[in-house]
């Protein structure tokens, strides 16, 4: 059997058959890029030890279009996205699993590029992909490649973070500028050229999280504002905790090219997806200390206190605007941006 | 906002937006069917305690077509398939995560039926779905619904099962008849009507596994012969362990309607997918005891010793045929049956 043609070959139905061709795809493409002691075992599952503590599990299916974009691709995004979901429990992400759904005809060169990017992201994060699965669907029944990643991690003893723990008086912090990821994808999709000045913020935030929870274990909750953006994510947290929120627009970091692109595209940056930012809510007394720790970390240099949790039975999120007025930051209604992650 | 129309409604792009409509889909359809304390938390990840021991993780993307079939559907299959991958390490499966990729236009009634079936399978197995994710892709970019499930479990102390542990002299056991799942799907797909007499064997095998490893902790390895069937799975194990295998065809359980359907369809039942059977390899001295334990279990009543591990540097799997001859059971070449799981 000749080697896979990683230059001109493409995914064929036989690569999903469970037979020799699938074995070859796994060996010459997936296992080669992702190589580690768990994948080398060649079993249908991975076995490992976890440090003591509460276990965290998160899963995310990635269907982003286009597959490649400034700042990343579906491979690195699938690693970052799931690491972040695990980390938002205050946990140390330990291991990843990845399920691939490939469309017949997808170029093997693109698949190799994606898997190598995934491997690089996993290596950089120190969170290996230890088990996986590959399926192939007929042409027109998929869209190139979908990747579902699942992560497990462990929460250090003494921590309990959850979206229902925000209390009136708590402060709301944001780790950096909003809208970068979503605006990059949309600009690329529409061929607008804004992506020359902007790029996705896709990154794994567990290092930042580790520094934060170590310094301020009193943090109530963390969440990454991905689909639906900052506005929708704050509404989720407000409803979960049964509180309101009062934001200050001028405190919310927003890069000028992103602001300009949003204006051009008619988008409200509050609802544009992020892939490398987090919201933290903590008691007022710890807010300054937490801000300081975040700003000391490379991923939190632009961190800011953007608002306060208030008592509100209706769980409204409101914002003092740049011009001193007040506006409601409602749930995202309708479909602002499909297939952002 | 009016309630979801679970009778006549369908999946829309907005259901993947991260906004209010997605929240409604999750609440009224997913969380309602799958309800448990972890999903009720409403976080992007689940937190739980695991009993002490080595942790096992497995993931499987399910793209089966058609979605509904005699003996199950993609929902129950996605639960059984991943539970089985975890269980094959000798582990007790504890928790599941599920990622859904939905195609725009997919009927909500079908989705509800699938999620309810998933919930029933998880309940029956005692393995809850504790976290999940939902994405929507445009019409023609998916195929109704794909489900990726990931499971974690724990291996009881003292056990270590792996596909590389088979040794010459070991016995090869099979828990029941082969080919039922694959032949059912193919018959249905081709409109042949065989499925009147047959049905998928889709089932969660962790109860059987628990009984087996308790009675015979010396088991070398377990594996479920899914895609690629018994023939391909034995080749995988032979190569992993660097051994050969000698099978006895008359010992391999095969139901008459499955045999007849395979003959009609021109299929070799050795390569047809199963979703509720397992292969066990154990030292010869324990084989009779293991067979007895398997036969005492409802899922192993037709269990049989089907062959012996032999020394063979070429890792060939060979079989004494019904007629007393000998044949090679090679790796599955080519695409016998796409989208079986």
């Amino acid at each position: 059997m000749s080697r896979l043609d990683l230059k001109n070959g493409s995914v064929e139905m036989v690569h999903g058959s469970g037979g020799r061709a699938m074995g070859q795809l796994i060996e010459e493409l997936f296992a080669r890029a992702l190589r580690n002691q768990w994948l080398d075992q060649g079993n249908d599952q991975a076995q490992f030890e976890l440090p003591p503590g509460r276990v965290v599990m998160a899963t995310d299916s990635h269907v982003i279009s286009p597959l490649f974009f400034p700042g990343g691709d579906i491979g690195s995004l699938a690693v970052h996205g799931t690491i972040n979901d695990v980390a938002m429990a205050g946990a140390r992400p330990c291991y990843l699993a990845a399920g691939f759904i490939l469309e017949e005809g997808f170029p093997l060169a693109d698949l190799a590029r994606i898997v190598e990017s995934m491997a690089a992201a996993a290596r950089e994060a120190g969170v290996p992909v230890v088990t996986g699965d590959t399926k192939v669907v007929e042409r027109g029944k998929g869209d190139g490649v979908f990747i579902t990643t699942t992560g497990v991690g462990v929460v250090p003893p003494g921590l309990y973070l959850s979206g229902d723990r925000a209390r009136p008086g708590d402060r709301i912090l944001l780790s950096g500028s909003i809208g970068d990821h979503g605006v990059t994808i949309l600009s690329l999709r529409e061929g607008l050229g804004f992506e020359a000045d902007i790029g996705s913020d896709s990154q794994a935030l567990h290092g930042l999280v580790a520094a934060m929870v170590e310094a301020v274990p009193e943090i109530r909750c963390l969440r990454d504002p991905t689909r639906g953006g900052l506005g929708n994510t704050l509404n989720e947290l407000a409803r979960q905790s049964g509180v309101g929120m009062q934001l200050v627009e001028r405190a919310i970091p927003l890069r000028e090219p992103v602001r300009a692109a949003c204006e051009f595209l008619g988008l409200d940056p509050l609802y544009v997806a992020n892939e490398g930012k987090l919201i933290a809510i903590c008691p007022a007394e710890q807010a300054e200390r937490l801000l300081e720790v975040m700003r000391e970390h490379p991923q939190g240099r632009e961190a800011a206190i953007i608002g306060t949790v208030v008592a509100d039975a209706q769980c409204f999120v409101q914002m003092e605007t740049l011009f001193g007025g007040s506006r409601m930051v409602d749930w995202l209604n309708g479909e602002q941006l499909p297939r952002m992650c």
Side-chain angles (χ1 to χ4, degrees), chain A residues 327-338:
Chain A
R327 75 169 260 213
M328 276 286 288
V329 178
D330 200 359
W331 288 86
L332 173 63
N333 267 309
E335 149 200 354
Q336 204 186 21
L337 295 168

Side-chain angles (χ1 to χ4, degrees), chain A residues 3-299:
Chain A
R3 290 182 66 83
L4 272 187
D5 181 357
L6 290 179
K7 212 160 142 192
N8 302 305
S10 55
V11 172
E12 298 167 32
M13 291 307 294
V14 68
H15 289 126
S17 67
R20 204 191 281 270
M22 188 176 91
Q24 188 182 28
L25 182 73
I26 291 174
E27 217 159 282
E28 294 179 23
L29 198 154
F30 289 100
R32 201 168 122 221
L34 295 163
R35 178 130 288 161
N36 57 53
Q37 55 171 300
W38 299 276
L39 288 176
D40 283 351
Q41 283 171 0
N43 290 318
D44 288 344
Q45 70 290 117
Q47 305 192 29
F48 45 77
E49 307 285 339
L50 281 182
R54 218 161 49 252
V55 178
V56 170
M57 184 183 200
T59 198
D60 239 330
S61 292
H62 296 84
V63 300
I64 192 167
S65 171
L67 297 169
F68 300 95
F69 48 85
D73 55 58
I74 192 172
S76 55
L77 184 71
V79 168
H80 297 156
T82 293
I83 284 180
N84 289 346
D85 276 349
V86 170
M88 294 306 132
R92 177 161 84 77
C94 300
Y95 299 100
L96 291 172
F100 294 81
I101 299 175
L102 310 175
E103 184 190 9
E104 179 187 19
F106 187 65
L108 289 179
D110 286 350
L111 182 60
R113 196 175 145 201
I114 288 166
V115 175
E116 276 154 23
S117 158
M118 198 167 187
R123 225 172 10 245
E124 197 186 337
V127 186
V129 177
V130 295
T131 188
D133 181 56
T134 307
K135 294 287 170 9
V136 180
V137 295
E138 301 86 348
R139 212 179 284 262
K141 302 291 186 184
D143 195 13
V145 55
F146 301 142
I147 307 178
T148 301
T149 40
T150 307
V152 296
V154 173
V155 183
L159 284 183
Y160 181 67
L161 280 62
S162 177
D164 59 3
R165 297 194 58 231
R167 294 290 172 269
D170 287 353
R171 296 296 186 267
I172 305 163
L173 291 86
L174 180 66
S175 66
S177 65
I178 59 169
D180 301 70
H181 176 75
V183 155
T184 303
I185 302 304
L186 199 66
S187 167
L188 197 63
R189 225 185 258 170
E190 308 282 325
L192 299 178
F194 284 114
E195 69 275 11
D197 300 317
I198 54 186
S200 170
D201 58 349
S202 177
Q203 58 182 340
L205 294 168
H206 57 313
L208 174 62
V209 168
M212 291 168 67
V213 298
E214 200 196 328
V216 184
E218 298 88 350
I219 294 175
R220 312 278 201 192
C221 59
L222 298 175
R223 190 162 297 176
D224 51 340
T226 55
R227 272 187 293 181
L230 180 66
N232 202 74
T233 306
L234 288 174
N235 270 282
E236 283 173 25
L237 293 171
R239 188 172 64 172
Q240 237 181 300
S241 288
V243 296
M245 293 183 181
Q246 183 62 53
L247 309 179
V248 179
E249 186 169 12
R250 69 171 180 285
I252 299 174
L254 177 64
R255 297 176 58 222
E256 177 47 31
V258 173
R259 195 203 55 71
C262 280
E263 196 171 286
F264 183 85
L265 292 161
L267 294 174
D268 183 339
L270 284 176
Y271 297 101
V272 176
N274 310 281
E275 289 292 345
K277 300 293 151 48
L278 61 81
I279 299 163
I281 299 182
C282 78
E285 310 80 68
Q286 277 88 33
E288 286 299 331
R289 170 80 185 116
L290 185 57
L291 182 65
E292 191 185 344
V293 170
M294 290 170 77
R295 285 189 171 163
E296 277 165 11
H297 194 279
Q299 296 177 328

